[in-house]
Structures are given as structure tokens and as C-alpha cells.
Amino acid sequence: MRYALKRAIDMIAAAAALALLSPVLLLVALAIRLSMGRPVLFRQVRPGWHEQPFSLVKFRTMADIRDASGNLLPDGERLTPLGELLRRLSLDELPQLWNVLKGELSLVGPRPLLMEYLPRYSACEHRRHEAKPGITGWAQVHGRNALTWERRFALDVWYVDHWSLGLDLRILALTARAVWRREGISQPGYATMTKFLGTQE
């Protein structure tokens, strides 16, 4: 019953947000189209609930710039001024409301990371996938990308073990504050944060 209520809240909130924010979505899409061209959206396969893959959608923030060998340059070199602004304001995340509406994401849950990280998790870290991933989460309101990987995963597993609707409401309130203060957007020297290479035992 609790999970059905969580899903109902997700659907109602995502549909309402998409309707209310449609002018913002259109303006951002137009700005990206004019400054970076196509595509406007960035799609990437991420592990979802119980590690099932799904296509996460965000506004594109990086240019497709490659070296002489055809390899993409590091993220920090491809992040555009517009993309940096969108990330600072968290506007690049707005298309994920569509993922919420489809049931692939929740408003609140551990952030979906990269598929390549799955073999690198410890048994405990795999437990972060026992909850549906979210647009925001317990780790995001405790430091976001400025956290160490170990701390981030510990917070994700804590959320799995202590989930409640009341906790979700608290996280949403704290998320609004974090977005307003623009906290933890990236680690120093990185477009987001370092890659996860595995937990050191």
C-alpha cells in the first residue's frame, strides 16, 4: 500500500510539474537548439530498480567535441557555458519528470548511476538498487556530487532501510533548499565527480 501511494504521488506530481514547467522546458530546449544544435536531449542507459536498465533523459549540457582520433574530450572540456548554467540551476534534470511519469524513476530515491559501475559494487552497495532510483535522494541533500563515493553509497543504503513517505517529503524540502543554494553541483576540477572505480576493501 505504501509503495502504491508513493507511485500515485510520483505520477500526480510529475504530470503537474510537466504541465506547469512546460514554458521553461520549451525555452531551455530552444536555447540548447540555438547554441549547441541537435540533439536537445541527452539519453543514457542507466540501471533502475533491481538493476534493470532504462533510458534516462536529460537536457544536453555538453558539446560533441572530439580529439584527432575521434575520441570524446573530457567532460570538463565539453561542458558549454549554457550547460554549466543549466547544471547550476538543476534545469538539466527537468526532462527526468518524463521518466517518473513512465515509472522508471521516482521523485525520491538513490540516483541512477552508470551501467559500468554495477560490477564494481560491493554486496552492500548493490542494495541501493532495492529502491526505485530518483531525481533526488538522501545523498543529494547531504552533499550531492561533493561526497565521496563511499559516503554516497552509505547514504543510499540508509535510505533503502529507512524509507517512508515522511522521509521523501523531507528530502524534497531539503532538495529545494540545496537547489536554491546551488550546493554540491560538482567536485573541484570535475564537470560532475570522479568515476567510481570500486570500493577499496
Side-chain angles (χ1 to χ4, degrees):
M1 180 64 71
R2 293 190 308 159
Y3 294 102
L5 182 57
K6 179 179 173 74
R7 174 64 184 141
I9 292 172
D10 280 343
M11 290 182 64
I12 293 169
L18 284 169
L20 290 171
L21 295 172
S22 57
V24 176
L25 290 163
L26 288 172
L27 284 173
V28 172
L30 179 60
I32 294 171
R33 179 69 177 86
L34 292 175
S35 65
M36 286 187 275
R38 297 179 178 175
V40 168
L41 297 176
F42 168 77
R43 300 176 187 274
Q44 188 176 53
V45 176
R46 301 281 182 96
W49 196 15
H50 299 306
E51 303 180 1
Q52 294 301 304
F54 74 100
S55 180
L56 181 81
V57 59
K58 301 173 68 171
F59 278 126
R60 187 158 73 100
T61 58
M62 292 187 286
D64 185 19
I65 304 175
R66 300 173 183 267
D67 61 22
S69 301
N71 300 310
L72 285 172
L73 294 181
D75 289 356
E77 297 181 40
R78 296 189 295 117
L79 183 64
T80 67
L82 174 60
E84 186 175 7
L85 176 64
L86 294 178
R87 289 189 180 193
R88 192 159 60 244
L89 300 177
S90 296
L91 294 177
D92 61 315
E93 309 283 359
L94 290 181
Q96 291 170 55
L97 290 167
W98 178 246
N99 289 119
V100 174
L101 206 59
K102 292 171 64 181
E104 297 163 334
L105 281 182
S106 178
L107 292 177
V108 181
R111 282 294 295 162
L113 300 174
L114 300 178
M115 294 295 294
E116 68 188 72
Y117 291 173
L118 289 178
R120 304 172 189 171
Y121 292 145
S122 67
C124 182
E125 290 163 353
H126 272 288
R127 296 195 57 236
R128 68 191 305 276
H129 295 285
E130 292 176 12
K132 186 179 291 187
I135 294 179
T136 186
W138 192 233
Q140 277 58 53
V141 299
H142 283 84
R144 200 173 173 181
N145 292 325
L147 295 171
T148 64
W149 284 112
E150 289 77 11
R151 176 64 175 155
R152 181 172 184 163
F153 294 147
L155 290 166
D156 287 341
V157 173
W158 187 94
Y159 173 83
V160 170
D161 290 336
H162 296 84
W163 175 80
S164 70
L165 291 175
L167 178 60
D168 278 3
L169 292 175
R170 181 183 175 191
I171 291 171
L172 289 172
L174 290 172
T175 297
R177 186 181 71 174
V179 169
W180 177 258
R181 293 180 176 180
R182 302 175 188 175
E183 296 172 339
I185 296 171
S186 63
Q187 289 182 347
Y190 292 90
T192 49
M193 61 188 301
T194 59
K195 281 196 171 186
F196 176 61
L197 300 178
T199 300
Q200 300 297 317
E201 299 293 344

